[in-house]
Amino acid sequence: MHFANGVLFIGNVAVPAIAERYGTPVYVYDTAILRAQIERVKRAFASLPFRPFYAMKANASLALMDIIRKSGFGCDAVSPGEIYIARQAGFTADQIWFTCSNVSDEDLRQIGDPSIIINVNSLSEIDRILALELSNPIALRINTDVGAGHHVDVVTAGGGVKFGIDLAEVRDARMIVEDSGRKVVGLHAHIGSGVDDPAPLIESARRLLDLSTDFSNLRWLNFGGGLSVPYRPQDEEFPIEEYGAELTRIADRMLRARELTAILEPGRYVVAACGVLLARVTAKRISGGLWWAGCDTGFNHLVRPSKYGAYHHIVNASRGSEASLRATFDASKMREEVIVAGNLCESGDVFTRDASGNAIARKLDPTRVGDLLAFCDAGAYGFSMASHYNARLLPPEVLIDGDSMQLVRERQSIEDLLKGQR
Ligand code: LLP
């Protein structure tokens, strides 16, 4: 993204032209950024026997999934719905892991294809897979007791989380599978999301490698996702090369000796940076001595600030500056400090928050009603967590490729709100 004459460009397309054609709010994805992230993942682990997977919960839009699949990724799916979308996006069954979390018998039956790997979360799930006589390959999700993440709600290993088979139960899990004449083909650990330091990821990988010596029929070691991206202009990039080099150092020899393939399944790292949510300023007001800018989207479209107190950088895309992208405003230039709020009937519908979740003002280039705001790094857990709250419609999605823009998901119509109701 860059500015020219005060206007934000995504790829080579001026943002106001996107808003004019498709309206606001709208999710916009830049394929060049998506491809660059894909290449970073592939490059960092290229020395290993390695297969990248994509955690589609981050963004299950077919247009992005198509690019990701064609780049050689497999797919991590967590529900029958995600499996369905993955198949529609062209992933073959053997390229899909179904990672369970308290799944029902109905969920398990809906998997459909016996080549999809079922990554079980508990001994109870193994029992039910066997009882249902599903012949799918079985992998075990392990709680390696190392957890990390940007918020307590996204830490997925360690004490007090709902995920994974405890280290103390792994032996029992293996016996249950093997006693039934089946094999454990993979071990998996995902420690959390938005992890900005490779150290806990490496420690978890080390534990998974140690554990793997007890399993003689493994084909895969899946080290999960979790790699963070810089949301604030001053944040550092996740050191993916360092992570790749260290994982190679500790795992390569063992993987090759045992003919195992390493899997990583990042979601956020692949798609966060390529996505922008565009909205229009609909109101300016002063309240409590502070300036507020209201806009035509809300936490129904981008829930991360409300749900996790997460930071998304915001720039004025109609009358902004290159400096605003880096938040390095020239002190001599005009700028304003505003709280940016959405259009939902709920006080928590505020995009600019401090670490404790309180509304705080953000420096922006001066905004007027009618200006466009770009919410940056919204490609991951943006659209995929969107809802109809307040009977607001889901926004459309647009793919930018250099000079071209293409509508890849239509804006919903008002009738969609009643679909299925009697
Ligand atoms: N694998 C498994 C089994 C997962 O549960 C997840 C994310 C991933 C991979 C991908 O994690 P990533 O590479 O994207 O960090 N809604 C939250 C994030 C929830 C992540 C849940 N699991 C957010 O907006 O921050």
Side-chain angles (χ1 to χ4, degrees):
M1 291 197 301
H2 66 278
F3 274 91
N5 299 324
V7 169
L8 183 66
F9 280 71
I10 300 177
N12 300 325
V13 181
V15 161
I18 305 170
E20 199 167 301
R21 186 173 301 178
Y22 303 111
T24 56
V26 53
Y27 270 99
V28 185
Y29 305 107
D30 184 347
T31 51
I33 298 178
L34 174 61
R35 288 183 202 283
Q37 290 302 98
I38 286 171
E39 286 315 309
R40 282 175 161 183
V41 173
K42 288 165 71 173
R43 211 178 315 122
F45 305 94
S47 307
L48 284 169
F50 173 64
R51 181 86 198 268
F53 272 55
Y54 169 59
M56 62 180 289
K57 62 175 75 65
N59 189 320
S61 298
L62 290 175
L64 302 190
M65 303 257 305
D66 186 54
I67 294 172
I68 293 166
R69 179 183 62 79
K70 286 180 178 149
S71 307
F73 280 57
C75 183
D76 169 55
V78 293
S79 66
E82 283 200 351
I83 292 174
Y84 171 73
I85 295 172
R87 299 303 302 270
Q88 295 298 311
F91 287 91
T92 55
D94 61 334
Q95 296 170 331
I96 298 172
W97 278 48
F98 176 46
T99 296
C100 303
S101 173
N102 302 330
V103 290
S104 65
D105 283 357
E106 189 50 30
D107 289 337
L108 289 169
R109 280 196 207 95
Q110 281 184 43
I111 293 171
D113 195 300
S115 304
I116 292 175
I117 293 178
I118 308 182
N119 186 21
V120 300
N121 192 47
S122 66
L123 274 58
S124 141
E125 274 158 5
I126 302 175
D127 289 340
R128 283 189 301 117
I129 289 165
L130 299 178
L132 291 169
E133 298 183 358
L134 297 175
S135 61
N136 300 64
I138 295 176
L140 305 182
R141 177 174 187 166
I142 311 293
N143 181 342
T144 52
D145 228 1
V146 183
H150 72 81
H151 185 277
V152 63
D153 287 351
V154 300
V155 175
T156 52
V161 303
K162 67 170 194 151
F163 292 111
I165 297 169
D166 282 1
L167 290 172
E169 287 203 308
V170 174
R171 191 163 171 275
D172 286 354
R174 177 169 59 78
M175 307 270 272
I176 296 172
V177 176
E178 289 178 356
D179 286 354
S180 73
R182 308 277 293 272
K183 295 166 181 162
V184 174
V185 297
L187 295 181
H188 167 273
H190 171 73
I191 69 167
S193 192
V195 182
D196 52 14
D197 174 7
L201 294 163
I202 288 293
E203 180 52 31
S204 172
R206 208 187 287 278
R207 294 182 186 194
L208 210 61
L209 285 160
D210 284 351
L211 214 55
S212 70
T213 55
D214 296 338
F215 291 79
S216 45
N217 300 296
L218 290 180
R219 284 159 47 207
W220 314 92
L221 282 186
N222 183 334
F223 300 109
L227 292 64
S228 71
V229 295
Y231 283 101
R232 295 170 190 268
Q234 66 273 22
D235 284 352
E236 307 235 335
E237 288 278 351
F238 180 85
I240 193 165
E241 292 84 8
E242 193 187 303
Y243 179 32
E246 189 57 13
L247 193 63
T248 305
R249 198 180 66 74
I250 66 168
D252 190 52
R253 194 182 309 162
M254 136 103 86
L255 293 171
R256 287 183 196 282
R258 299 190 54 200
E259 293 182 21
L260 303 179
T261 300
I263 292 176
L264 251 66
E265 48 180 23
R268 184 190 312 276
Y269 191 84
V270 179
V271 291
C274 76
V276 164
L277 173 61
L278 279 187
R280 204 176 281 285
V281 177
T282 49
K284 284 288 291 283
R285 67 192 273 268
I286 288 186
S287 174
L290 295 167
W291 272 104
W292 293 67
C295 61
D296 64 358
T297 186
F299 73 66
N300 55 325
H301 294 157
L302 181 61
V303 78
R304 303 192 68 258
S306 289
K307 185 164 166 55
Y308 312 112
Y311 181 99
H312 280 270
H313 198 57
I314 304 171
V315 296
N316 183 335
S318 308
R319 292 177 310 109
S321 60
E322 196 66 26
S324 70
L325 284 172
R326 293 185 296 274
T328 52
F329 291 99
D330 182 339
S332 65
K333 295 254 172 64
M334 279 272 291
R335 61 173 192 279
E336 67 180 13
E337 300 207 0
V338 285
I339 299 173
V340 180
N343 58 358
L344 300 180
C345 270
E346 190 159 321
S347 295
D349 189 25
V350 168
F351 291 105
T352 49
R353 292 159 174 272
D354 64 15
S356 323
N358 303 312
I360 49 164
R362 189 79 73 78
K363 285 192 183 100
L364 290 184
D365 288 308
T367 49
R368 291 185 206 143
V369 170
D371 284 354
L372 294 165
L373 295 181
F375 295 78
C376 303
D377 304 304
Y381 307 108
F383 191 97
S384 68
M385 295 182 83
S387 77
H388 285 124
Y389 188 46
N390 279 196
R392 293 276 180 189
L393 306 179
L394 295 182
E397 296 182 297
V398 171
L399 201 64
I400 304 287
D401 194 355
D403 296 326
S404 80
M405 53 177 155
Q406 188 194 348
L407 186 69
V408 293
R409 189 195 298 264
E410 294 169 6
R411 186 181 302 285
Q412 287 194 311
S413 69
I414 202 94
E415 292 79 19
D416 289 331
L417 296 173
L418 296 182
K419 194 156 179 258
Q421 294 193 57
R422 295 184 180 188

